[in-house]
Amino acid sequence: MGEKIKLEIRNMTKLYKNNDGVRNINLKVKEGELITLLGPSGCGKTTILRTIGGFLKCDSGSILIDRKPIEHLPPEKRPTSIVFQNYNLWPHMTVYENMAFGLKLRKIPKAERHRQIMEMLDLVKMTGMEKKYPNQMSGGQQQRIAIARSLLLKPEVLLLDEPFSALDAKIRSQMREELRKFQIDLNITVVFVTHDQEEAMALSDRIVVMNKGTFEQIGTPADVYNNPVNKYVAGFIGDMNFIELADKTIAVRPENVLIHRGTRGGIKGKIRATMVLGHYSEVTVDTKHGIIKAFVSCENSNIFHPGESVSLSFTKFHEYDKKDLAS
Amino acid sequence: MKFLNPKRWYYTLGREKLFELLILAVFLLFFYVPLLHLFMLAFANKYQVPAVIPQEFGLKWWKYVFEQKSLVSSISLSFIIAFITTLLSMIICLPAAFVLARFNFRGRKLIMLSFLIGNAFPRIGLYTSIGIVYYKFNLMGTFIGVLLIHMLGSMMLMIWLSVSAFRSVPREQEDAARDAGAGPIRTFFNITLPIAWPGIAVAAMFTFIASLGENQGTLLVGLPKYRTMPVEMYGVILDYPATAGAVFALILIIPNLILLLLMRKYVGPETLARGYKMN
Ligand SMILES: Nc1ncnc2c1ncn2[C@@H]1O[C@H](COP(=O)(O)OP(=O)(O)O)[C@@H](O)[C@H]1O
Ligand SMILES: [Mg+2]
């Protein structure tokens, strides 16, 4: 990843007739960076991606690629390529024809076209599929071809709108790994959209956490996990306990909760249940602030029994003022 | 006797099923018996009324029909008109259907409904008022006049079925083509049209069949110059023996049957039902 800014969005606003949409979006994406827009369904991720791709006109602001404004260009003139969640491939064309379509428009000679398509099929491990029609392939295979078809066009920025959401969990994580691998190998700039925080954490150089059409926080996965700027981000990413006090909210991750026998910790409670989750256990504790969840290593978990009185302390926590809880 | 006891039938099938079965049987009787009779007559050399089975089978009347110049020329005229009608109808209706399918503007539903008007009144009234317009523009007895009448008849199906065909093309597939570098027109011809094609072909087929069968309008505006098969049919029924009529009727039915068989995969209750959905 270089320091050069590949894609920049300046003060962009796009509202639909019903006033849904995105407001005052500012974003800089570096060359070779994979940035993820993360947020619940309906927060405006697709809207942003479609304005970058040229399928929606922004109301105000500008979009620049390599410092050149592109917001006035139609999709076919933009150096971007987009992959949707579904229906990317053209069902009346074979895999080969699907991949050749854009290359033909770029007037690439037949022999060269053939070479590039075969090379790309090899890269995505789909050699031998060129004569198949999209409906003869699984969802995962179709998305692979869709991404390959986009890569063939050598876009300056690759846009991926929940490309793996329709796939089952196992294929999803495999595709994720592969995508990350050739994104780094080919040094492509990617804007990735997902509502799945785990996917965002696993894949991204940086994550943009979104809420109702605006950005809440931009940072590396470690950043947004360790230092969420507000209660919304804290709650959206990873497991979090919230303790509501009169004037503030305390947020603490289960792995930062220590359980003590006796009353050494600040908050008293009773063990509710213990659940083994592999190499660690989840212990839930009833307190006057509600149920608090703690992760403890497995060796320690069987020393706590339901109903036992304990106390809790926190190795690390965040405080959010109730006054600025606009979010 | 057990098998013929209606009470047993009633309790085996249940009331609704029995009812459905009866309706089906009546329908089949009404629909297929005349067809079968027609078929038999067409291949009869000799047939006198009280008999059920013709006295003599053969191809005599086929030969006879194909020897009548006016009948043969009406067959080719019918097909030429049906072909041109279908083609013109597609050229005019497809772009309109695409716009109606893709853009949600005010008055869209009203426009869709307006295509229904041509089919909502007794045709003969419509033709009378069209006749006045035709006299004004000198379209009476012209080829263009006949074509216009034929296109009017199938406009609704052509538009409605094509709108639903275009609507069933996922937006993403068009967007992906734009994204790959194709302009809007190339996208329409390379992506949208081929994907929507099966639905459009069904619409074209219905247009073709409707045009082959159109008679009232052609009779009113086409005579004396343009006599299509169904128009000739009137004369055939009056002037020729029933066996010749049967032959002629079969010639009218056969292309329809062939088209329906060819498109069997795409013609179904769902295609039509989708066509009649407005939003
Ligand atoms: N064409 C549209 N017309 C009106 N509202 C829309 C349209 N598309 C999306 N919206 C609304 O804009 C908001 C953002 O949508 P979207 O960008 O698709 O969200 P996401 O991709 O994050 O799920 C949603 O509230 C959605 O209902
Ligand atoms: Mg979306």
Side-chain angles (χ1 to χ4, degrees), chain A residues 50 55 74-76 80-82 84 86-93 101-102 105-106 149 153, chain B residues 104 170-184 186-187 190-192 194-195:
Chain A
R50 284 187 155 265
F55 301 104
E76 61 267 29
T80 56
S81 191
I82 192 163
F84 307 104
N86 280 316
Y87 307 118
N88 285 291
L89 300 180
W90 303 302
H92 60 300
M93 297 185 191
F101 185 78
L105 292 176
R106 282 164 182 67
R149 186 181 68 185
L153 302 178
Chain B
N104 239 329
R171 199 54 177 265
E172 284 94 336
Q173 283 167 351
E174 286 176 356
D175 287 348
R178 296 292 297 275
D179 195 66
R186 193 190 294 272
T187 300
N190 284 341
I191 306 296
T192 316
I195 298 176

Side-chain angles (χ1 to χ4, degrees), chain B residues 202-253:
Chain B
V202 169
M205 184 196 72
F206 278 121
T207 304
F208 195 86
I209 290 177
S211 171
L212 275 186
E214 212 298 325
N215 52 64
Q216 289 179 359
T218 320
L219 195 65
L220 283 175
V221 305
L223 285 180
K225 222 168 141 197
Y226 297 99
R227 297 159 160 277
T228 57
M229 278 164 84
V231 170
E232 284 290 357
M233 199 72 191
Y234 285 109
V236 169
I237 290 168
L238 293 175
D239 304 339
Y240 292 78
T243 35
V247 169
F248 205 63
L250 265 196
I251 297 176
L252 251 174
I253 292 173

Side-chain angles (χ1 to χ4, degrees), chain A residues 60-286:
Chain A
S60 62
S62 58
I63 300 169
L64 304 98
I65 286 181
D66 289 327
R67 320 241 300 273
K68 281 194 284 291
I70 58 159
E71 69 271 5
H72 55 284
L73 297 174
E76 61 267 29
K77 299 259 167 62
R78 296 195 185 194
T80 56
S81 191
I82 192 163
V83 174
F84 307 104
Q85 180 177 348
N86 280 316
Y87 307 118
N88 285 291
L89 300 180
W90 303 302
H92 60 300
M93 297 185 191
T94 61
V95 165
Y96 190 91
E97 288 163 344
N98 262 282
M99 295 178 82
F101 185 78
L103 296 179
K104 270 191 206 159
L105 292 176
R106 282 164 182 67
K107 307 252 166 6
I108 294 172
K110 197 169 171 197
E112 173 62 12
R113 225 153 60 202
H114 184 77
R115 195 189 61 73
Q116 289 187 12
I117 292 172
M118 287 306 165
E119 197 182 280
M120 186 53 73
L121 281 173
D122 188 44
L123 182 81
V124 297
K125 304 201 190 81
M126 295 286 282
T127 316
M129 292 296 219
E130 54 269 26
K131 290 215 176 61
K132 285 234 154 73
Y133 283 91
N135 290 331
Q136 294 176 292
M137 304 190 298
S138 70
Q141 289 173 322
Q142 290 184 30
Q143 284 308 64
R144 244 172 237 244
I145 295 296
I147 293 173
R149 186 181 68 185
S150 279
L151 289 177
L152 262 182
L153 302 178
K154 305 199 170 58
E156 297 294 340
V157 179
L158 180 62
L159 308 169
L160 303 172
D161 190 356
E162 314 216 16
F164 307 144
S165 304
L167 310 178
D168 44 22
K170 199 170 155 217
I171 303 201
R172 202 183 320 158
S173 67
Q174 186 190 340
M175 297 274 288
R176 209 183 273 165
E177 268 169 44
E178 281 176 35
L179 170 70
R180 183 58 162 161
K181 185 172 173 303
F182 50 64
Q183 181 261 329
I184 291 173
D185 289 351
L186 304 175
N187 195 37
I188 321 162
T189 313
V190 176
V191 182
F192 189 96
V193 159
T194 184
H195 64 264
D196 177 351
Q197 46 116 355
E198 214 174 290
E199 186 162 81
M201 299 289 278
L203 202 60
S204 321
D205 290 310
R206 281 190 302 156
I207 296 176
V208 180
V209 184
M210 288 185 64
N211 182 22
K212 292 187 192 135
T214 54
F215 289 176
E216 296 282 354
Q217 183 171 6
I218 305 179
T220 62
D223 246 356
V224 289
Y225 187 81
N226 294 325
N227 304 304
V229 294
N230 57 31
K231 195 182 156 192
Y232 173 82
V233 177
F236 195 73
I237 290 179
D239 264 322
M240 190 67 94
N241 296 299
F242 288 106
I243 296 163
E244 305 291 344
L245 302 177
D247 55 337
K248 61 189 176 187
T249 304
I250 305 238
V252 56
R253 298 215 180 269
E255 64 265 33
N256 296 327
V257 178
L258 293 179
I259 307 178
H260 311 280
R261 308 189 113 147
T263 53
R264 198 144 50 88
I267 298 176
K268 291 185 190 59
K270 273 197 170 63
I271 301 283
R272 197 180 152 87
T274 323
M275 193 164 34
V276 181
L277 296 171
H279 60 282
Y280 66 95
S281 293
E282 181 188 298
V283 181
T284 43
V285 183
D286 261 328

Side-chain angles (χ1 to χ4, degrees), chain B residues 23-40:
Chain B
I23 290 182
L24 187 71
V26 170
F27 175 76
L28 288 182
L29 216 67
F30 270 90
F31 193 71
Y32 281 109
V33 170
L35 261 182
L36 229 103
H37 189 64
L38 188 77
F39 207 78
M40 221 159 56

Side-chain angles (χ1 to χ4, degrees), chain B residues 9-175:
Chain B
W9 285 33
Y10 183 91
Y11 288 112
T12 315
L13 293 169
R15 192 159 134 183
E16 263 138 63
K17 273 274 167 58
L18 185 71
F19 207 64
E20 275 173 30
L21 202 74
L22 281 177
I23 290 182
L24 187 71
V26 170
F27 175 76
L28 288 182
L29 216 67
F30 270 90
F31 193 71
Y32 281 109
V33 170
L35 261 182
L36 229 103
H37 189 64
L38 188 77
F39 207 78
M40 221 159 56
L41 283 191
F43 293 97
N45 278 356
K46 214 155 90 204
Y47 175 68
Q48 234 114 46
V49 168
V52 177
I53 309 274
Q55 286 83 2
E56 192 188 326
F57 285 97
L59 291 174
K60 182 175 136 200
W61 291 103
W62 286 82
K63 205 163 145 256
Y64 177 80
V65 164
F66 280 105
E67 271 164 3
Q68 307 292 308
K69 270 231 179 65
S70 69
L71 294 189
V72 174
S73 74
S74 80
I75 293 174
S76 64
L77 180 68
S78 261
F79 278 90
I80 290 170
I81 289 181
F83 188 77
I84 300 178
T85 300
T86 310
L87 204 73
L88 279 184
S89 184
M90 277 167 76
I91 291 172
I92 293 171
C93 294
L94 288 187
F98 181 74
V99 171
L100 285 168
R102 272 296 177 249
F103 302 97
N104 239 329
F105 49 89
R106 271 180 50 188
R108 191 183 141 262
K109 281 198 176 162
L110 206 70
I111 292 179
M112 292 281 285
L113 267 179
S114 71
F115 291 107
L116 186 66
I117 289 174
N119 295 42
F121 303 106
R123 277 286 166 84
I124 200 77
L126 193 67
Y127 294 144
T128 316
S129 45
I130 283 180
I132 299 168
V133 180
Y134 268 36
Y135 275 119
K136 215 174 191 168
F137 291 97
N138 276 328
L139 286 167
M140 267 307 175
T142 62
F143 194 62
I144 306 274
V146 173
L147 282 181
L148 282 177
I149 285 279
H150 280 230
M151 280 165 62
L152 188 76
S154 49
M155 196 81 129
M156 184 190 81
L157 264 185
M158 192 75 202
I159 292 268
W160 283 21
L161 288 182
S162 305
V163 166
S164 96
F166 283 131
R167 291 211 141 202
S168 69
V169 178
R171 199 54 177 265
E172 284 94 336
Q173 283 167 351
E174 286 176 356
D175 287 348

